[in-house]
Amino acid sequence: MTTEHRTPLTAAGSNIPKALFGPSPSQTVGPYFHQGLADHFQGLRSAVGNVAVQPGSSVPGERITLLGRVLDGDGVPVEDALIEVWQADASGRYASDDAAPFHGYSRTHTRTEGNVYTIRTIKPGSAGPGLAPRLNVWLGMRGLLTHLITAVYFSDEDNSADPVLALVPPERRHTLIARREETPDGPVYRFDFRMQGQDETVFFAP
Amino acid sequence: MTRPPVEQSPAAPSVHPPHLFPAYTSSVRRAPHELLIPLPDALRDLQGPVFGEGRLRPDDNDTTRNGRVNGEPLGERILVRGRVLDSRGRPVRGALIETWQANAAGRYIHQRDQHDAPLDPNFTGTARMLTDEYGEYTLVTIKPGAYPWRNHPNAWRPAHIHFSIFGTNFTQRLVSQMYFPGDPLLAYDPIYQAIPDEKGRQRLVSRFDLDLTQPQWALGYRFDIVLGGDAQTPFEEPDHDH
């Protein structure tokens, strides 16, 4: 039913004419983003879920689970946070092809039992000399008009030479390090995002 | 032990809303208090994820069809067409766009939506699409209704469609909302009003377009989206000092 013979759109007729040109502002994901962004929420299909590497996959790398909560200024778990992860594969390479066996991107949320988010993925490798392995994180939720960006490191790695962590005051670096635990289901890294207060997570400004 | 909040905004203060905007009450306990650390190049240079056609199904861009159970969804059928551009006005091709919205009565399908308005059995309000070689997308949907929320007395969200867009770079990732021209609720909405620059606010208002309107079928709206965050082409802000 849509237009079959389309001509390309031009600046004429745009909602952003030349005099208004500039970046479109951010808005909150709101409380109901699960409808559009979460995997199989209420039976709806979506583009990407929280399992970055499927069970039985031959993709090289250690299978890990990252999980935790998002805590607001009162220490109350946020029940409607959206968490997105970009990461390198086990050899430190970022995917540039949707068909790659490991895509390097996953998405999860806290509308769960205990408001705990979970991501099942592989542990990334170092992406270059001196770079510690890390997960690059995008965080959105009701209450955040503009999303936040951060990075999550691993407690069992040598993070001492990492140039991103070096930008963070030493007393705050621990807020970016996920704690490794060995469990019967494999290694689990625990990481809570703290929006305010003591141990507030370090966020980066784009 | 805790520090007082620091009044702050993201890197482009005249474009994006601040994290702390007390009129939007949910921001008060969720906005970070510490100053954000300027994004290092190691993060800035990341490419965005690449999404292929394989992730899409027929009618994914058409909420009037993709949620049908036993009939057509109710409401005013609309067609939204636009371009995704980078900060220099160049088309962003192959960008994944995901949208979600309330139905014509102002009700989300979400379990937590308690608004006393009818659900539509033939409407989920979810769509996804990739931009084409011109950076263009087309969304077919139902005009969403306004709905009440608990932010302040007699608070109503203006009709809006949520847009999630992946550009070509980690820093181009954008979640925003499309509004409708002439909506009187915009003047009272703290989420919309938190955008500091009037021009920025106007960029999120779609434009009714008779040329896009399809006879006997659907009203047409134009909604272009400009992504910032292109490290190679920094966008000049008119008032970047506050």
Side-chain angles (χ1 to χ4, degrees):
Chain A
M1 285 298 282
T2 54
T3 47
E4 294 300 327
H5 302 287
R6 302 190 315 181
T7 51
L9 296 171
T10 64
S14 175
N15 60 304
I16 308 180
K18 201 168 183 179
L20 276 185
F21 192 84
S24 302
S26 171
Q27 295 278 264
T28 175
V29 297
Y32 304 134
F33 63 81
H34 313 74
Q35 176 186 340
L37 302 181
D39 198 32
H40 299 302
F41 182 74
Q42 294 181 343
L44 306 176
R45 60 179 192 270
S46 73
V48 277
N50 72 336
V51 180
V53 54
Q54 297 298 328
S57 160
S58 61
V59 170
E62 182 183 27
R63 270 56 175 168
I64 64 169
T65 300
L66 180 78
L67 58 81
R69 298 169 302 170
V70 180
L71 301 170
D72 73 8
D74 296 322
V76 175
V78 170
E79 77 282 12
D80 49 15
L82 174 68
I83 297 156
E84 298 182 333
V85 167
W86 278 252
Q87 68 169 103
D89 66 15
S91 66
R93 272 195 293 273
Y94 286 90
S96 57
D97 178 0
D98 187 46
F102 181 69
H103 193 228
Y105 173 79
S106 55
R107 181 149 70 186
T108 186
H109 62 86
T110 59
R111 183 76 83 195
T112 62
E113 186 78 30
N115 302 127
V116 172
Y117 73 86
T118 306
I119 287 182
R120 298 182 198 286
T121 184
I122 55 174
K123 194 176 180 189
S126 166
L131 296 177
R134 66 160 191 267
L135 303 171
N136 309 290
V137 175
W138 185 105
L139 182 62
M141 67 190 79
R142 172 175 60 85
L144 274 189
L145 292 158
T146 299
H147 65 263
L148 290 165
I149 290 170
T150 189
V152 174
Y153 291 82
F154 301 95
S155 63
D156 55 330
E157 294 286 336
D158 177 5
N159 297 310
S160 58
D162 186 79
V164 175
L165 277 173
L167 297 171
V168 177
E171 70 276 12
R172 298 191 66 202
R173 285 177 196 161
H174 71 279
T175 71
L176 298 184
I177 297 173
R179 193 179 74 249
R180 182 177 176 115
E181 294 176 4
E182 306 299 337
T183 80
D185 297 324
V188 167
Y189 289 88
R190 291 189 176 274
F191 187 85
D192 287 345
F193 296 88
R194 296 176 193 273
M195 305 311 296
Q196 298 173 355
Q198 192 175 16
D199 300 327
E200 177 181 310
T201 302
V202 168
F203 297 107
F204 297 95
Chain B
M1 292 293 279
T2 57
R3 294 193 199 178
V6 177
E7 195 64 41
Q8 62 170 291
S9 325
S14 65
V15 174
H16 297 301
H19 290 113
L20 180 62
F21 191 74
Y24 176 34
T25 56
S26 294
S27 77
V28 174
R29 302 311 282 155
R30 296 183 170 191
H33 287 177
E34 301 280 356
L35 284 171
L36 307 191
I37 293 173
L39 194 69
D41 289 344
L43 297 181
R44 179 177 298 285
D45 292 343
L46 292 178
Q47 300 298 298
V50 178
F51 297 102
E53 293 283 351
R55 293 179 181 274
L56 302 179
R57 300 189 197 185
D59 294 336
D60 263 3
N61 72 325
D62 185 346
T63 71
T64 72
R65 301 180 71 87
N66 65 22
R68 282 191 195 185
V69 174
N70 58 4
E72 289 209 45
L74 298 173
E76 183 183 328
R77 199 184 293 120
I78 63 171
L79 185 151
V80 181
R81 195 173 157 205
R83 301 176 298 172
V84 177
L85 304 171
D86 70 11
S87 56
R88 282 208 271 171
R90 299 171 299 193
V92 180
R93 301 179 177 94
L96 177 71
I97 300 175
E98 295 160 285
T99 66
W100 68 103
Q101 62 172 96
N103 68 23
R107 176 86 184 264
Y108 285 89
I109 196 174
H110 200 285
Q111 290 155 339
R112 297 296 178 100
D113 187 348
Q114 300 298 309
H115 177 32
D116 182 17
L119 281 170
D120 185 335
N122 292 302
F123 186 77
T124 65
T126 297
R128 66 182 49 87
M129 60 218 96
L130 292 172
T131 57
D132 67 11
E133 60 183 312
Y134 305 107
E136 292 184 16
Y137 71 92
T138 301
L139 166 68
V140 181
T141 191
I142 297 290
K143 187 176 181 186
Y147 60 84
W149 59 313
R150 297 169 195 276
N151 188 72
H152 56 277
N154 209 7
W156 294 78
R157 289 283 353 259
H160 62 277
I161 300 175
H162 294 267
F163 272 71
S164 161
I165 305 114
F166 290 89
T168 57
N169 185 291
F170 182 58
T171 56
Q172 284 188 323
R173 180 84 177 91
L174 179 71
V175 171
S176 193
Q177 296 176 21
M178 174 191 128
Y179 298 97
F180 289 86
D183 191 331
L185 291 171
L186 289 170
Y188 304 98
D189 181 45
I191 290 177
Y192 179 73
Q193 293 295 335
I195 301 166
D197 177 23
E198 168 63 24
K199 286 183 175 178
R201 292 196 286 276
Q202 290 179 33
R203 283 176 213 137
L204 297 189
V205 179
S206 58
R207 184 181 160 277
F208 171 71
D209 192 330
L210 195 62
D211 289 337
L212 295 182
T213 295
Q214 301 293 301
Q216 311 297 321
W217 186 57
L219 295 181
Y221 288 87
R222 176 73 176 269
F223 187 59
D224 288 355
I225 299 156
V226 179
L227 302 179
D230 185 341
Q232 284 72 47
T233 56
F235 185 78
E236 295 296 326
E237 288 305 318
D239 51 350
H240 51 78
D241 285 328
H242 61 89

